[in-house]
Amino acid sequence: MNTDIAVLNSCFGIDDQVVFKTISEHFSIVEIDNAHASASISLQGAHLMSWVPKGGEPVIWMSQEASFESGKPIRGGIPVCWPWFGDHSANSSLPAHGFARTALWEVIQTEALKDDTTLIAFRLIQEGGNHDGWPYSAELEIHFIIGDSLKIDLVTRNTGKSAITVGDALHTYFAVSDVRNITINGLDGCPYLDKVDGSEQKKQQVGDVQFDQETDRIYLESTEDCVIDDPGLKRRIRISKLNSESTIVWNPWIEKSERMGDLGKDGYLNMVCVESANAADDVVLIAPGEKHHLWVRYSVE
Ligand code: TA6
């Protein structure tokens, strides 16, 4: 896999629209800028770090204290959780949310599309046995279309000889004016596992989700659009998705964010995670040779 910046720019750069650069030793990113939006994505984890529609505010939150070190998860942006969500079911000493988000992905495609949006795609090849906790073979690709909406397609292809079970998520940190003043709708009536209360199964009462404490919920049977209503920024962020049965809603609030140490002072106030996933009992079974697409579209209204 080639990570030489000059080679990447020669093979995949697009004048003034797609440019590869390093931001620290062994940490390379790609910056995208087109008529509709700008974005940046790290090659580690194929991790989108920013997306700003032209003339708008950043939609994706990044911690002021985020570290950009090889092999270390980035706090903010869109971490790719794969091939498991949360703790590994059999070995909690393995990295939370799997290994894809700290692996180095290869760039496989860039294209300036006819509607002046930009497509960029990355791949991670997993050979059976080269990661603890997941002795299977698969190819993972992520395709981004950067425009005044953000479309993401996370594709798992089973390249092995036996069926595989995959938990996956786009663990997206959305930027908000003040988490105490936003609401999230689209989860009415959904059952959820309350990770702040021993993962007890509860049911979302009719009405929007609001925040006044640490919130960490895995909503199940949640396939509808979610909308983050943010009066402070006078905007609504719509989260549409396909092939995702779970939605995780997370804000660490005060104590947990102080314990985590990398959200920045009061950083928790300006973020909320709404994660399109297949987690807990919603994990997906993929037969040999088959593919699974987890697809989302983020748009600002
Ligand atoms: O998606 C919510 C969650 O599972 C929380 O429990 C919290 O752990 C968060 O992910 C962040 O996880 P990370 O491994 O990125 O620190």
Side-chain angles (χ1 to χ4, degrees):
M1 177 193 327
N2 208 312
T3 58
D4 179 278
I5 291 299
V7 172
L8 285 168
N9 279 314
S10 162
C11 297
F12 297 105
I14 301 175
D15 289 349
D16 301 330
Q17 189 172 151
V18 176
V19 180
F20 293 84
K21 55 177 60 175
T22 56
I23 56 172
S24 65
E25 196 182 0
H26 308 308
F27 208 91
S28 302
I29 66 168
V30 54
E31 291 185 339
I32 294 108
D33 189 42
N34 61 40
H36 301 288
S38 63
S40 59
I41 304 172
S42 80
L43 270 63
Q44 172 177 292
H47 187 128
L48 186 134
M49 306 193 304
S50 66
W51 170 53
V52 187
K54 281 291 188 286
E57 296 289 322
V59 180
I60 303 299
W61 179 85
M62 179 59 68
S63 170
Q64 298 293 321
E65 304 293 325
S67 65
F68 301 102
E69 292 169 38
S70 180
K72 190 169 176 195
I74 301 168
R75 182 66 62 208
I78 308 181
V80 174
C81 303
W82 188 92
W84 63 82
F85 178 85
D87 289 336
H88 185 276
S89 55
N91 180 351
S92 59
S93 68
L94 292 171
H97 297 320
F99 48 78
R101 63 173 171 167
T102 53
L104 194 57
W105 293 50
E106 65 175 314
V107 183
I108 54 173
Q109 185 186 3
T110 55
E111 188 176 343
L113 301 177
K114 289 190 179 60
D115 61 358
D116 292 333
T117 59
T118 309
L119 178 147
I120 184 165
F122 302 80
R123 177 169 56 207
L124 180 67
I125 295 177
Q126 165 63 18
E127 296 298 344
N130 68 355
H131 268 100
D132 292 343
W134 210 73
Y136 307 108
S137 298
E139 271 187 19
L140 183 62
E141 290 187 6
I142 190 164
H143 298 239
F144 297 94
I145 295 181
I146 311 288
D148 57 6
S149 66
L150 175 61
K151 296 174 191 165
I152 306 174
D153 191 6
L154 181 67
V155 190
T156 300
R157 185 162 71 88
N158 182 351
T159 55
K161 294 183 169 51
S162 58
I164 57 176
T165 298
V166 169
D168 55 6
L170 294 167
H171 190 298
T172 305
Y173 289 74
F174 290 98
V176 297
S177 59
D178 184 329
V179 71
R180 297 168 297 190
N181 300 331
I182 64 162
T183 56
I184 298 176
N185 66 56
L187 295 162
D188 287 25
C190 289
Y192 66 89
L193 305 178
D194 187 347
K195 287 178 63 179
V196 176
D197 187 11
S199 291
E200 185 179 326
Q201 180 152 334
K202 301 176 180 178
K203 187 178 171 94
Q204 176 65 31
Q205 300 313 312
V206 173
D208 299 342
V209 178
Q210 297 180 320
F211 300 84
D212 59 9
Q213 60 186 314
E214 181 183 351
T215 305
D216 192 349
R217 302 174 182 175
I218 301 177
Y219 285 90
L220 306 169
E221 303 166 29
S222 65
T223 54
E224 299 303 310
D225 287 10
C226 285
V227 175
I228 302 170
D229 197 340
D230 185 348
L233 282 174
K234 297 185 177 62
R235 74 179 180 189
R236 289 156 43 95
I237 301 172
R238 180 170 296 273
I239 298 144
S240 307
K241 61 176 187 171
L242 293 173
N243 307 323
S244 156
E245 294 293 318
S246 321
T247 299
I248 291 91
V249 174
W250 177 58
N251 184 283
W253 212 247
I254 302 167
E255 286 77 20
K256 180 153 186 180
S257 57
E258 284 170 357
R259 285 199 307 273
M260 294 174 77
D262 61 355
L263 276 97
K265 174 148 178 45
D266 296 334
Y268 76 96
L269 288 173
N270 301 116
M271 52 73 64
V272 66
C273 281
V274 181
E275 306 159 33
S276 301
N278 292 291
D281 292 344
D282 289 333
V283 292
V284 292
L285 188 67
I286 308 174
E290 295 300 310
K291 289 183 181 180
H292 176 265
H293 291 251
L294 191 171
W295 179 90
V296 299
R297 180 182 65 234
Y298 302 143
S299 52
V300 178
E301 301 172 351

